[in-house]
Amino acid sequence: MRAADLTTAALLMAVGALVVRDALRLGVGWGTDGPKSGFFPFWLAVVLLACCLGIVVQALRRADRAPFVARGALGPVLKVLWPATAAVLLMQFVGLYVASALYMGFYMRWIGRNSWLAVVAVSVGFSVSTFLLFETWFLVPMPKGPLETWLGY
């Protein structure tokens, strides 16, 4: 567990340092019309770095050398990890909404052993709801695939 904490903190500190560097490039001060572009990212990165430093201190002070994942728990972790990885890879080809529906449906049926009616209702209903929310209400374009193109979006 200690090695996982230290590794995670180190990775997040690298991300925080990158954000600080880029925020400094954009400007972190206060301009005539309000905060400059790098103001909020800079302070969020500073908070991230402080939290990571706290995790490092805690991990170094802990004498616990237990493994991050016990051998028996590895199976359930992989049951979650590989479908999520497949959904992310699939998203490149079919878009966010279809990949989300497929992932949710697969997960509900395989892990949750829900009925087909519940699987279809929830996975399609959630994807259609998020599509309408992002595409029509927030006007935020998300990754789309051939289905959305076929529907005219």
Side-chain angles (χ1 to χ4, degrees), residues 61-98:
R61 292 174 69 189
R62 190 176 333 127
D64 180 20
R65 302 269 182 197
F68 177 62
V69 178
R71 179 167 251 175
L74 195 57
V77 170
L78 290 176
K79 264 184 166 177
V80 173
L81 182 63
W82 84 259
T85 304
V88 170
L89 293 175
L90 191 63
M91 193 180 307
Q92 307 300 315
F93 305 104
V94 297
L96 173 70
Y97 305 109
V98 173

Side-chain angles (χ1 to χ4, degrees), residues 43-129:
W43 287 108
L44 287 175
V46 167
V47 169
L48 178 66
L49 289 170
C51 291
C52 289
L53 192 60
I55 290 171
V56 167
V57 170
Q58 277 184 334
L60 292 176
R61 292 174 69 189
R62 190 176 333 127
D64 180 20
R65 302 269 182 197
F68 177 62
V69 178
R71 179 167 251 175
L74 195 57
V77 170
L78 290 176
K79 264 184 166 177
V80 173
L81 182 63
W82 84 259
T85 304
V88 170
L89 293 175
L90 191 63
M91 193 180 307
Q92 307 300 315
F93 305 104
V94 297
L96 173 70
Y97 305 109
V98 173
S100 298
L102 291 173
Y103 173 71
M104 194 174 302
F106 177 77
Y107 204 80
M108 284 180 66
R109 184 67 186 165
W110 186 46
I111 301 295
R113 306 221 184 272
N114 294 297
S115 68
W116 281 108
L117 179 64
V119 167
V120 171
V122 171
S123 61
V124 172
F126 180 77
S127 291
V128 169
S129 299

Side-chain angles (χ1 to χ4, degrees), residues 11 20 47 111 148:
L11 289 173
V20 164
V47 169
I111 301 295
E148 292 88 355

Side-chain angles (χ1 to χ4, degrees), residues 124-149:
V124 172
F126 180 77
S127 291
V128 169
S129 299
T130 54
F131 175 82
L132 293 174
L133 180 76
F134 285 110
E135 300 293 332
T136 62
W137 192 20
F138 291 151
L139 299 176
V140 176
M142 302 300 273
K144 294 179 201 63
L147 178 63
E148 292 88 355
T149 303

